[in-house]
């Protein structure tokens, strides 16, 4: 059984459009929470915040974790503190599946012919593609003074900000 040339062309156009859309996907920039992800914070006490960064499905886990650390350092310095301690730190992966179904085979119409009424036969192929996005969150305690060297959970906010700055992707300015 051969495929109709118009179906082959249609399938090629659809696959090309999917490839173009996939190439357009970009990682979540470092930004407040909005379309496509970003950071949030909630002040709990004077020196304690809950900070989270949610990435889209094109944002790697390490980038999400780096952005959460960068926001922790930035907020620590903006609040007048020098170092921070992560009292709890977790990264969650959320996976969902995108299912696609394609049909091919004989025509979808029927008609009378030799031997009686005949109907075309169609076949379907289904595939599921996993889509994963990550969210990093932490409870951050902020302090003034020198970072205690014996505490592996303590971070110098200036050093973290300086170290991660080159990895930050800022949002594109949109023309109005």
């Amino acid at each position: 059984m051969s495929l109709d040339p118009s179906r082959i062309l249609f399938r090629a156009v659809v696959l090309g459009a999917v490839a173009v859309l996939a190439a357009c996907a970009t990682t979540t920039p470092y930004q407040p929470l909005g379309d496509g992800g970003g950071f949030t914070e909630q002040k709990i006490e004077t020196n304690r915040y809950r900070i989270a960064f949610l990435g889209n499905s094109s944002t790697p886990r390490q980038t999400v974790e780096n952005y959460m650390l960068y926001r922790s350092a930035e907020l620590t310095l903006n609040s007048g503190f020098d170092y921070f301690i992560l009292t709890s730190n977790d990264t969650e992966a959320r996976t969902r599946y995108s299912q696609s179904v394609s049909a091919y085979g004989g025509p979808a119409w029927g008609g009378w012919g030799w031997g009686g009424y005949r109907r075309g036969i169609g076949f379907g192929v289904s595939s599921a593609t996993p889509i994963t996005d990550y969210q990093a969150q932490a409870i951050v305690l902020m302090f003034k003074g020198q970072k205690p060297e014996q505490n592996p959970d303590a971070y110098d906010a200036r050093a973290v900000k300086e170290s991660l700055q080159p990895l930050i992707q800022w949002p594109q300015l949109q023309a109005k």
Side-chain angles (χ1 to χ4, degrees):
M1 182 182 340
S2 66
L3 290 177
D4 179 37
S6 63
R7 286 181 181 231
I8 293 171
L9 178 60
F10 175 76
R11 192 173 302 141
V13 169
V14 169
L15 289 174
V18 169
V20 167
L21 289 174
C24 291
T26 60
T27 62
T28 302
Y30 181 78
Q31 64 185 9
L33 185 62
D35 289 340
F39 62 78
T40 64
E41 70 256 350
Q42 178 184 10
K43 187 174 186 175
I44 299 170
E45 296 177 328
T46 304
N47 69 330
R48 187 186 307 257
Y49 281 81
R50 176 182 293 119
I51 298 176
F53 192 91
L54 173 64
N56 63 24
S57 61
S58 296
T59 308
R61 178 183 180 127
Q62 184 174 354
T63 300
V64 168
E65 292 173 345
N66 285 342
Y67 285 6
M68 191 275 302
L69 276 173
Y70 187 84
R71 183 62 186 157
S72 299
E74 188 175 59
L75 193 57
T76 297
L77 295 172
N78 291 347
S79 300
F81 296 100
D82 301 306
Y83 72 94
F84 62 94
I85 295 175
L86 301 178
T87 61
S88 70
N89 184 13
D90 185 32
T91 302
E92 298 174 3
R94 182 183 68 165
T95 302
R96 58 194 185 284
Y97 293 87
S98 173
Q99 187 166 358
S100 64
V101 177
S102 61
Y104 64 93
W109 52 268
W112 288 97
W114 290 102
Y117 187 82
R118 296 183 185 229
R119 209 169 247 249
I121 300 173
F123 301 97
V125 175
S126 177
S127 64
T129 304
I131 300 171
T132 302
D133 51 35
Y134 297 96
Q135 177 178 337
Q137 54 193 348
I139 300 294
V140 180
L141 279 170
M142 303 170 187
F143 300 96
K144 292 184 179 186
Q146 284 283 28
K147 169 188 95 158
E149 295 300 324
Q150 71 280 7
N151 187 343
D153 296 323
Y155 297 86
D156 179 300
R158 283 174 189 78
V160 168
K161 193 171 176 187
E162 182 180 314
S163 175
L164 295 179
Q165 178 78 40
L167 304 177
I168 300 298
Q169 177 187 329
W170 301 98
Q172 300 286 331
L173 294 178
Q174 296 179 358
K176 294 186 178 188

